[in-house]
Amino acid sequence: MPISANNTNRKSWLEVPANSDFPIQNIPFGVFLTKENVVTVGTRIGDFAIDLGALQQLNYFEGIELTDDMFMQDTLNDFISDGKKTWRLVRNRIADIFDEKNPTLRDNSNHRDIVIFKMEDVEMQLPVLIGDYTDFYSSREHATNVGKMFRDPENALLPNWLHIPVGYHGRSSTIIPSGIPVHRPMGQTLPNGESTPVFGPSRSVDFELETAFITTDANIMGENIPVYEAEDYIFGMVLLNDWSARDIQKWEYVPLGPFLSKNFATSISPWIVTMDALEPFRTKGPKQNPAPLPYLQLKGKNSFDINLEVAITPENGTPNVISNSNFKYMYWNMSQQLAHHTSNGCRVNSGDMMGSGTISGPTPDSFGSMLELTWGGKNPIQLNDGTERKFINDGDTVTMKGFCKNNEVRLGFGEVSSQLLPPFVRK
């Protein structure tokens, strides 16, 4: 089935600002709350939120097999469970409805009033009920930098890193949408030169520049997903800030890896950009040497050219862009990650989220964390207000943006933006 929604000649009868992340060729999916306190599944074109539940009730999806309440829910899980054919049919239909040449909704003011909202009048929600969350560690540059700082600089990569997409299971209960603030975590740390740990606020709160992919129901328990089929089970992608407490992490990560240093908060962008929308931006990833084992081998363009940016905005200050990176730098791609994840028969469900791991590029200005950008705090970053940052201060807002662009179209993810607050105080 062709992806007619990707037609670069198509224009919408809704106004789309220049360089918008949400032209009619994007059509992401999310969940929002209206002024009337109605939660609905929706999409976005320009600065307009579109109520897909209302569109369904008004029979705009006639001919597509959907359950009666598919879009009148507070998560996308059921829609995602329907699979790739349904996703493509619905996205193609939405593109057709909002095409400037289609008068059906355009010229029906009563329907438009029910279906279309200004973005400023809605409140974005978490788009899926996330049952399980896995975070990978798939940037060679990031893993090398961290290995140099935390372990032996001469053997920065552990022996397994070039053979498997390393990952760990995170905590889905603290995944939040953009705009929700995060409290500085409390935890155990071992002060320099001491042999006894202390308990208190983390002094080294960091961001991690990541993306994440959302899966559909991929397999039954015991079944593996072949690497060449894996992408069929990926619905789409979001931006992800995997907040980290580096001092807590340094003390706790041996022998089982991250725990409380990572699970206090993970922020994601609210619009899921589909794999169909990203299709024009395929590119090759880094050459893998040594060659992966056969179950992870994949030829062709299996990565995506996604420009990424991180900014820090001090309280009452202005944004400071501190990192510019790209998803295409990732050593292990999403298909390899999902194939490896299920290689032992692990079940993957609709709405599961898989973080890419920190995305760092080959140059210092493309590193994806303060840990790397300041080299563990040794080289503070100076902001435009004259202050310095080794890590994130209380009151700072971290904002991540991502977009794809070629000669014909530009589309993006919007942003994931969250402010760091002081530790939570029980009243």
Side-chain angles (χ1 to χ4, degrees):
M1 183 198 315
I3 313 174
S4 61
N6 288 5
N7 182 353
T8 56
N9 295 319
R10 191 192 294 273
K11 289 186 170 64
S12 175
W13 47 263
L14 286 172
E15 182 183 355
V16 178
N19 291 324
S20 170
D21 279 356
F22 303 101
I24 195 171
Q25 289 80 13
N26 192 340
I27 310 180
F29 292 89
V31 173
F32 59 82
L33 180 70
T34 69
K35 275 185 173 179
E36 292 75 30
N37 286 323
V38 175
V39 178
T40 186
V41 171
T43 188
R44 177 174 176 175
I45 296 177
D47 293 327
F48 297 97
I50 295 155
D51 184 342
L52 298 183
L55 273 180
Q56 184 178 5
Q57 286 180 301
L58 294 168
N59 294 321
Y60 281 85
F61 295 117
E62 188 177 4
I64 301 176
E65 290 186 17
L66 301 171
T67 55
D68 291 343
D69 63 345
M70 176 67 79
F71 296 125
M72 289 166 274
Q73 301 189 33
D74 56 6
T75 74
L76 280 159
N77 292 60
D78 279 2
F79 176 58
I80 294 173
S81 287
D82 254 26
K84 191 171 183 177
K85 179 182 177 183
T86 299
W87 311 336
R88 188 169 293 181
L89 284 169
V90 167
R91 189 167 164 271
N92 284 349
R93 179 67 59 85
I94 294 168
D96 183 56
I97 293 167
F98 289 92
D99 189 295
E100 64 178 354
K101 298 174 184 176
N102 188 340
T104 310
L105 179 60
R106 182 194 69 195
D107 296 348
N108 190 325
S109 59
N110 291 333
H111 284 191
R112 285 204 318 270
D113 289 343
I114 297 170
V115 168
I116 301 169
F117 298 83
K118 293 180 180 178
M119 279 301 303
E120 63 203 52
D121 293 333
V122 304
E123 182 181 317
M124 297 305 300
Q125 309 292 299
L126 204 64
V128 291
L129 178 63
I130 301 166
D132 282 299
Y133 163 46
T134 299
D135 193 31
F136 285 96
Y137 188 53
S138 292
S139 161
R140 182 170 187 167
E141 290 80 4
H142 173 68
T144 300
N145 291 336
V146 173
K148 286 178 179 178
M149 280 184 271
F150 278 28
R151 291 189 301 274
D152 175 9
E154 298 302 315
N155 298 284
L157 288 179
L158 290 170
N160 64 350
W161 199 92
L162 292 170
H163 297 277
I164 61 173
V166 173
Y168 70 97
H169 294 286
R171 184 76 182 165
S172 61
S173 59
T174 41
I175 298 172
I176 52 176
S178 178
I180 304 296
V182 170
H183 285 278
R184 180 178 294 273
M186 306 286 286
Q188 270 196 37
T189 60
L190 185 67
N192 287 335
E194 300 293 327
S195 58
T196 304
V198 298
F199 183 84
S202 168
R203 296 176 179 270
S204 307
V205 175
D206 199 354
F207 65 83
E208 289 190 340
L209 171 62
E210 301 192 28
T211 62
F213 64 86
I214 311 295
T215 64
T216 186
D217 300 292
N219 60 341
I220 58 174
M221 187 171 171
E223 178 188 17
N224 66 293
I225 301 297
V227 67
Y228 53 85
E229 288 182 11
E231 212 174 279
D232 290 340
Y233 301 99
I234 299 175
F235 175 63
M237 296 176 66
V238 295
L239 302 175
L240 183 149
N241 178 2
D242 194 25
W243 293 91
S244 299
R246 299 300 186 186
D247 45 356
I248 297 173
Q249 180 182 0
K250 188 175 182 180
W251 172 236
E252 76 173 1
Y253 88 107
V254 177
L256 293 180
F259 181 33
L260 301 181
S261 58
K262 298 275 192 178
N263 69 5
F264 64 96
T266 301
S267 304
I268 66 171
S269 54
W271 294 108
I272 304 174
V273 178
T274 64
M275 301 311 295
D276 273 359
L278 294 169
E279 187 65 31
F281 306 100
R282 284 188 177 277
T283 189
K284 286 189 174 182
K287 181 176 175 58
Q288 295 182 322
N289 185 24
L293 293 175
Y295 80 100
L296 291 173
Q297 290 179 10
L298 197 61
K299 294 181 179 179
K301 297 180 177 181
N302 299 295
S303 190
F304 296 87
D305 186 359
I306 305 172
N307 300 286
L308 300 165
E309 172 191 293
V310 185
I312 295 176
T313 305
E315 195 164 19
N316 302 317
T318 56
N320 300 254
V321 175
I322 59 169
S323 177
N324 287 281
S325 195
N326 195 296
F327 180 75
K328 68 184 179 183
Y329 297 139
M330 298 302 286
Y331 188 86
W332 295 104
N333 62 55
M334 293 183 287
S335 293
Q336 290 172 319
Q337 289 171 339
L338 186 54
H340 183 66
H341 201 309
T342 63
S343 62
N344 67 343
C346 174
R347 183 175 174 181
V348 169
N349 298 315
S350 173
D352 285 356
M353 191 175 86
M354 314 278 178
S356 62
T358 304
I359 302 169
S360 291
T363 56
D365 61 346
S366 63
F367 292 166
S369 66
M370 292 296 282
L371 179 69
E372 298 163 272
L373 289 164
T374 69
W375 209 253
K378 293 177 182 177
N379 306 310
I381 293 173
Q382 184 158 354
L383 304 186
N384 53 26
D385 63 0
T387 61
E388 289 185 339
R389 293 293 184 278
K390 295 180 180 180
F391 290 96
I392 306 301
N393 285 3
D394 291 347
D396 287 349
T397 296
V398 177
T399 302
M400 298 175 178
K401 299 181 180 180
F403 71 92
C404 307
K405 186 176 182 179
N406 58 26
N407 293 330
E408 297 176 306
V409 68
R410 178 197 188 280
L411 59 84
F413 293 78
E415 66 179 33
V416 53
S417 186
S418 303
Q419 185 182 37
L420 181 66
L421 301 180
F424 180 84
V425 177
R426 187 176 294 278
K427 296 179 181 179

